[in-house]
Amino acid sequence: MVAKTFGSAVSGVDANLITIEVNVGQGTSFYMVGLPDSAVKESQQRVESALKYFGFRMPRQKVVINLAPADIRKEGSAYDLPIAMGILQASEQVEFPELDKYVIMGELALDGKLRPIKGVLPIAIEARKRGFKGFILPLENAKEASIVNSLDIIGVETLNQAADFLMGDLAIEPLITDTREIFYHSLDDIEFDFADVQGQENIKRAMEIAAAGGHNVIMIGPPGAGKTMLAKRLPSILPPLSLQEALEATKIHSVAGKLGKNASLLANRPFRSPHHTISDVALVGGGGNPQPGEISLAHNGVLFLDELPEFKRTVLEVMRQPLEERKVTISRAKVSVDYPANFMLIASMNPCPCGYYNHPEKECVCGPGIVQRYLNKVSGPLLDRIDLHVEVTPVKFDEMTSTRKSESSKAIRERVIQGRDRQKERFSNNPEVYCNAMMPSHMVKEVCQINEAGKALLKTAMERLGLSARAYDRILKVARTIADIADSADIKVEHLAEAIQYRSLDREGWAG
């Protein structure tokens, strides 16, 4: 007899439907076909032990399990539960009248308990798209899957519960989560607030501009000046996630297995801060079984690279293309996977190895040429892709001990949202672009027009600082954002002047 169950294989951030066909016939062997990896092949031992634990038996006949379509590689241990259900039906130990109406996934322990799996959200989305009645999965993953409505989410703890439910002997209420209510309720949960930061008004201003236009930022300053503290507070002034953005970010975290137990929709923008010893693959994604990297986990959020020159040169160079294209393509001999990577890059660095070059009070002890060599660790093409270069100076004692209350993240966020609203209106006919930083060159000429006084100022700045054509575009984009925050239809000279001052690393004073 042949039994069919349905599972799913995750590829990138999407899922493919997998049909698991089980045939029990004459003979004594066990075959598993359809490109299974080692973890899938080993399911035979887990399934047999789990079946015996609950009083079922593994057929002592020829068992053939086909995972179709046969040309898609099946990976991981999540096929244990559908294989077990298929064996029970094919060996006529039980009768499951609605087996073909459910997608089933779950890893089995030897005592038949279910362990959580990765990639539940894309699988649930695919199951709904294919018109399945429901999705049977480990209880710990049920909340994550319940983000998808119009699909019965059946969370089970053991193989026996799954079998009883499919036989009709056990009633399990589908888990229903009011995603919108939870999502909107969590939107204003701010962990770090700009109200806690004394002084550093110029850096807060730069952060506000960056958040309003989606610009990348690099902060240069001595140790202890507050670079990391300021970077951690950036997500608190970014516009709240839309439901669509939250779903995209949650899918990536689900595929990477980073959501944790009983997790639901991500309500706050991701903030990723990898250590400088990170490898190329861990940053951009990849591996034998391609997984999303840190830049994809930061999708719709912030990627913070602390001590930028300490990162390996190759790691920083592989980031150049995703910064432009806002996605990363992982290509292997048999598979090519796209991961979204639309993130804001915030980097910080000391101005020199000792940290005190250009410091207002302390003396730099680095020898001649050392500062230049240190700055050269960050390549010109990467710096060109960073719109705002901000000098961070230490906070004076008077500012540190001041009792004056700093502006809160909530107040700054309101101005940022106003600036973004202007941009949304401007780019309403272009769905690929929704903030100033994403404008291609041809659009910059159209949108960022400046008057004669502005052209003269920009020409002088370009000649003195020796800026590249890309830096010219960046200055215009930043000036456009500053004008948006000021609610100005035109880019004025003062907007342009402020944008030019955010090119610190192009100045001769930084050349060592």
Side-chain angles (χ1 to χ4, degrees):
M1 184 180 172
V2 176
K4 278 187 187 178
T5 60
F6 295 94
S8 193
V10 175
S11 171
V13 290
D14 297 309
N16 300 307
L17 188 69
I18 302 294
T19 306
I20 297 142
E21 301 168 331
V22 183
N23 182 22
V24 177
Q26 288 186 338
T28 54
S29 42
F30 185 97
Y31 297 101
M32 192 174 294
V33 295
L35 273 186
D37 74 348
S38 298
V40 181
K41 286 177 185 168
E42 288 164 359
S43 69
Q44 179 188 354
Q45 313 303 328
R46 293 190 295 272
V47 168
E48 183 169 355
S49 177
L51 288 174
K52 282 180 178 173
Y53 191 86
F54 288 112
F56 299 113
R57 59 181 171 79
M58 190 73 167
R60 291 290 166 245
Q61 295 161 275
K62 183 181 177 185
V63 178
V64 179
I65 296 168
N66 179 38
L67 308 170
D71 60 340
I72 294 177
R73 187 154 180 79
K74 323 302 181 305
E75 290 162 333
S77 53
Y79 297 98
D80 293 358
L81 188 59
I83 287 170
M85 295 296 108
I87 288 171
L88 287 175
Q89 173 96 327
S91 61
E92 300 181 342
Q93 295 179 62
V94 291
E95 181 64 36
F96 297 139
E98 292 194 324
L99 187 61
D100 59 349
K101 292 182 180 173
Y102 290 89
V103 167
I104 305 170
M105 293 297 277
E107 180 190 331
L108 285 169
L110 297 182
D111 61 357
K113 285 185 180 157
L114 283 169
R115 294 196 170 111
I117 57 172
K118 289 182 188 177
V120 161
L121 184 55
I123 295 170
I125 291 167
E126 181 66 13
R128 183 181 64 181
K129 198 167 90 182
R130 296 287 189 133
F132 282 91
K133 180 182 177 182
F135 181 13
I136 299 171
L137 75 167
L139 189 61
E140 286 179 23
N141 294 120
K143 196 171 179 187
E144 180 189 332
S146 67
I147 292 167
V148 180
N149 53 19
S150 306
L151 185 74
D152 289 355
I153 303 301
I154 309 297
V156 291
E157 293 184 89
T158 63
L159 176 144
N160 205 32
Q161 276 187 12
D164 287 347
F165 172 78
L166 286 167
M167 282 190 285
D169 294 348
L170 176 67
I172 299 176
E173 280 298 310
L175 181 65
I176 296 166
T177 305
D178 190 341
T179 312
R180 278 182 164 74
E181 190 192 328
I182 293 171
F183 175 68
Y184 291 120
H185 184 69
S186 309
L187 274 182
D188 292 323
D189 290 353
I190 293 174
E191 189 180 355
F192 301 106
D193 198 305
F194 272 105
D196 308 329
V197 181
Q198 295 289 5
Q200 304 291 25
E201 298 306 321
N202 60 325
I203 320 297
K204 289 179 193 170
R205 169 69 177 167
M207 289 292 193
E208 183 182 330
I209 294 164
H215 302 288
N216 301 322
V217 183
I218 184 164
M219 293 182 282
I220 315 110
K227 302 185 291 291
T228 306
M229 179 182 69
L230 287 156
K232 280 184 177 172
R233 281 157 176 75
L234 180 65
S236 69
I237 62 169
L238 287 169
L241 282 169
S242 67
L243 261 173
Q244 181 58 37
E245 286 176 328
L247 195 62
E248 286 172 8
T250 309
K251 269 170 83 172
I252 297 165
H253 282 72
S254 173
V255 169
K258 302 281 185 191
L259 277 181
K261 292 179 184 178
N262 301 315
S264 189
L265 202 62
L266 290 177
N268 297 314
R269 292 190 180 271
F271 179 85
R272 305 293 300 181
S273 178
H275 193 258
H276 63 255
T277 54
I278 193 170
S279 68
D280 311 13
V281 169
L283 187 73
V284 296
N289 167 22
Q291 287 286 303
E294 288 290 336
I295 62 171
S296 295
L297 291 168
H299 179 61
N300 290 330
V302 175
L303 178 72
F304 176 49
L305 301 183
D306 202 1
E307 303 301 343
L308 192 68
E310 303 301 330
F311 283 79
K312 291 202 293 278
R313 182 80 175 223
T314 52
V315 171
L316 297 179
E317 295 308 300
V318 293
M319 216 168 50
R320 277 161 49 180
Q321 195 178 353
L323 273 170
E324 289 286 320
E325 296 184 359
R326 300 188 182 270
K327 66 171 185 176
V328 61
T329 304
I330 313 290
S331 296
R332 295 289 176 267
K334 291 181 182 174
V335 68
S336 182
V337 175
D338 279 350
Y339 288 116
N342 182 14
F343 60 92
M344 269 180 72
L345 174 66
I346 307 296
S348 76
M349 61 183 280
N350 292 335
C352 65
C354 81
Y356 297 111
Y357 180 70
N358 267 6
H359 193 281
E361 292 156 13
K362 295 191 181 179
E363 193 78 26
C364 173
V365 296
C366 299
I370 289 178
V371 176
Q372 182 63 53
R373 198 154 55 241
Y374 186 74
L375 292 175
N376 283 349
K377 284 186 178 182
V378 183
S379 70
L382 180 66
L383 275 181
D384 267 355
R385 286 169 169 81
I386 298 176
D387 303 355
L388 300 165
H389 304 167
V390 189
E391 284 181 66
V392 184
T393 50
V395 182
K396 292 186 173 70
F397 182 78
D398 295 346
E399 287 179 331
M400 219 182 296
T401 53
S402 167
T403 52
R404 188 171 63 87
K405 191 79 175 146
S406 296
E407 194 174 23
S408 70
S409 290
K410 195 175 179 185
I412 301 171
R413 184 193 248 187
E414 281 169 16
R415 292 198 297 273
V416 167
I417 292 169
Q418 280 174 2
R420 284 280 178 115
D421 286 345
R422 279 189 78 96
Q423 292 164 54
K424 206 179 282 179
E425 209 177 294
R426 182 181 302 133
F427 305 125
S428 55
N429 298 328
N430 196 327
E432 294 297 306
V433 179
Y434 52 82
C435 62
N436 290 333
M438 298 172 80
M439 281 190 284
S441 294
H442 66 87
M443 202 182 277
V444 173
K445 289 189 178 75
E446 244 173 77
V447 173
C448 305
Q449 293 181 356
I450 50 177
N451 58 23
E452 289 306 315
K455 283 178 186 169
L457 174 67
L458 199 48
K459 185 184 178 194
T460 309
M462 293 286 291
E463 286 169 358
R464 286 210 185 149
L465 300 175
L467 303 179
S468 67
R470 190 185 271 121
Y472 169 79
D473 273 3
R474 303 277 165 189
I475 288 170
L476 287 178
K477 287 179 187 179
V478 172
R480 180 64 268 171
T481 301
I482 295 167
D484 286 340
I485 294 171
D487 207 18
S488 167
D490 303 317
I491 298 175
K492 297 178 180 166
V493 175
E494 59 265 30
H495 302 146
L496 211 49
E498 188 177 355
I500 291 165
Q501 81 179 32
Y502 293 125
R503 300 299 300 180
S504 294
L505 287 175
D506 297 321
R507 288 210 316 266
E508 284 179 23
W510 283 101

